[in-house]
Amino acid sequence: MFQIHNLTYRYPNEQEETLREVNFHIQEGEIFGLLGPSGVGKSTTQKVLTKLIKGYGGTVKYKGKDLSSYGKDYFQDIGVGFEMPVHFSKLTAEENVSFFKKLYKNPADTDELLKRVGLYDDRNKKVSSFSKGMKARLNFVRAMINQPTMLFLDEPTNGLDPVNARIIKNMIKEFRDQGGTVLLTTHLMNDVDELCDRVAFMANGAIAEIDTPKNLKLKGSERTVTVEYLKGDSAQTNTFNLDRIGSDETFLSIIKDYTVLTIHSKETTLEDIFIEMTGVKIDE
C-alpha cells in the first residue's frame, strides 16, 4: 500500500531534521503500528502520508505511484482520525456528520456507524455537551465516513472506557479483515499487541526495528517458565528451562502431584521493547 524510502523532513526554521532517512512499507490489508515516544517523528510521518506536509526528501509511493502525483481524489481514499478530536462544538453530532458526508463521493451509512459506537441516541445533542470519550467515538465515525481503503488512526482508544475501547478495536479489526489497511500510532501497548500485524519503533527520527509483535517479544524473551503451586498450606515458586521442560522431573512432579496456581513463560512485554528500542530513560 505504501513504500517509504529514505524519507527526510526538516521543519522551517529548525536546524535539525525531524525525519532522517525513514524506510518502511505498509502491506495492503494489514494493521501497521508506528510507535515511539513523543517528538521522534511519528506525527510528521503521518502528515507526510496524508499529504498535509510537502517538501520532504526521499520517496513515498502509494499503490505503486508517487504520492505527489495524486490530486484531491486521494482524500476520497483515506480516512484520518487525529489524536485531538476537532468538531464543530455548536453543532449536533448529526449536523457534524452531515457536513462531512457532503465532502465525499461515496459516504458510509452514518446512522449505522453512530449505532455501532453508541452515539445514535445522542446524535441530536450538541457536541459541546459530549464527554471526552464521546468526542473520541465521533472522531472515529468521521474517519470512517468515506468508506476509506486506507485508515490513519492516532490514539483511537485514548479516553475510552474498556467497553467502548473494545467496540472501536473490533471495528478496526473488521475493517482490516474486509481488506482495509491501517496505520496506527498509540502509546497503549495492549492495543498494539492485540491489533497490529507488524510494528515499527521510531527513535531519533528513524526506524529502529520492524517486526511482528510476537517475534519482537520472542527475541527479547528468556527461555524459562515459572510455576507457582501449593505445597501444604504455602505457595511455592520454581523456574525451569523451557527447552528441557518436557524431561525435567521436578517440573513433571509439580504439575502431577501439587495444585498449580499459575504458569508463566518469561516473555518480555512490548512496553519493555518500546523502552529498549527508543532509548527512553526511566527515572528510578
Side-chain angles (χ1 to χ4, degrees):
M1 191 65 106
F2 273 103
Q3 291 174 298
I4 295 91
H5 182 65
N6 288 341
L7 175 62
T8 61
Y9 185 76
R10 180 171 62 84
Y11 284 98
N13 303 320
E14 292 289 335
Q15 293 185 348
E16 296 186 359
E17 291 180 327
T18 299
L19 301 179
R20 302 181 180 94
E21 295 189 357
V22 173
N23 292 278
F24 66 96
H25 72 276
I26 303 174
Q27 297 173 1
E28 186 174 359
E30 77 170 340
I31 300 175
F32 185 88
L34 188 60
L35 313 178
S38 300
V40 297
K42 302 187 307 297
S43 295
T44 302
T45 302
Q46 281 218 23
K47 287 176 181 177
V48 169
L49 301 188
T50 54
K51 290 178 68 71
L52 295 179
I53 284 181
K54 300 178 181 178
Y56 52 84
T59 304
V60 178
K61 290 186 177 181
Y62 177 66
K63 295 183 177 179
K65 291 174 53 181
D66 195 284
L67 185 62
S68 62
S69 69
Y70 288 88
K72 291 182 178 180
D73 278 352
Y74 177 70
F75 299 104
Q76 300 289 334
D77 209 33
I78 67 171
V80 181
F82 295 108
E83 179 182 2
M84 298 298 291
V86 179
H87 305 294
F88 298 117
S89 60
K90 293 184 178 180
L91 300 183
T92 66
E94 179 66 37
E95 289 168 337
N96 269 270
V97 167
S98 296
F99 174 83
F100 287 105
K101 281 180 73 171
K102 295 175 183 177
L103 302 176
Y104 298 106
K105 298 176 181 177
N106 187 34
D109 182 345
T110 50
D111 281 351
E112 182 60 28
L113 285 173
L114 289 170
K115 289 175 183 176
R116 286 289 306 274
V117 302
L119 289 178
Y120 187 75
D121 291 342
D122 299 300
R123 67 190 184 282
N124 293 317
K125 295 179 181 178
K126 289 186 177 181
V127 175
S128 58
S129 69
F130 277 18
S131 66
K132 179 181 178 180
M134 293 170 75
K135 290 177 180 177
R137 284 180 276 153
L138 184 60
N139 195 47
F140 183 76
V141 169
R142 211 171 79 182
M144 299 288 286
I145 208 168
N146 59 320
Q147 301 192 81
T149 57
M150 179 72 209
L151 193 56
F152 295 88
L153 296 175
D154 192 0
E155 304 287 358
T157 63
N158 187 31
L160 297 183
D161 61 75
V163 172
N164 284 306
R166 167 57 49 211
I167 291 170
I168 297 300
K169 286 189 285 187
N170 285 344
M171 292 177 72
I172 293 171
K173 287 189 282 189
E174 286 175 17
F175 176 80
R176 185 269 315 275
D177 293 343
Q178 292 168 4
T181 307
V182 182
L183 176 61
L184 173 70
T185 58
T186 181
H187 289 101
L188 300 176
M189 293 300 106
N190 285 339
D191 284 6
V192 174
D193 213 353
E194 179 180 349
L195 294 174
C196 292
D197 299 295
R198 289 188 304 135
V199 296
F201 288 94
M202 289 193 75
N204 300 316
I207 301 295
E209 181 79 24
I210 300 178
D211 211 328
T212 66
K214 184 66 175 178
N215 285 344
L216 287 168
K217 289 187 291 184
L218 286 174
K219 287 178 185 177
S221 296
E222 296 178 20
R223 296 286 297 169
T224 60
V225 62
T226 299
V227 183
E228 184 183 13
Y229 60 98
L230 280 178
K231 188 174 184 180
D233 295 328
S234 63
Q236 304 289 321
T237 301
N238 282 59
T239 299
F240 302 93
N241 187 299
L242 193 58
D243 295 319
R244 297 189 296 273
I245 199 168
S247 59
D248 191 301
E249 294 298 333
T250 303
F251 173 78
L252 296 173
S253 175
I254 287 172
I255 62 173
K256 178 182 178 182
D257 299 329
Y258 298 96
T259 300
V260 175
L261 300 175
T262 62
I263 298 181
H264 294 292
S265 60
K266 195 69 173 178
E267 186 178 79
T268 193
T269 66
L270 283 178
E271 185 175 276
D272 293 332
I273 297 167
F274 180 100
I275 293 168
E276 179 183 352
M277 292 291 178
T278 60
V280 175
K281 299 193 182 303
I282 298 177
D283 294 330
E284 297 293 344

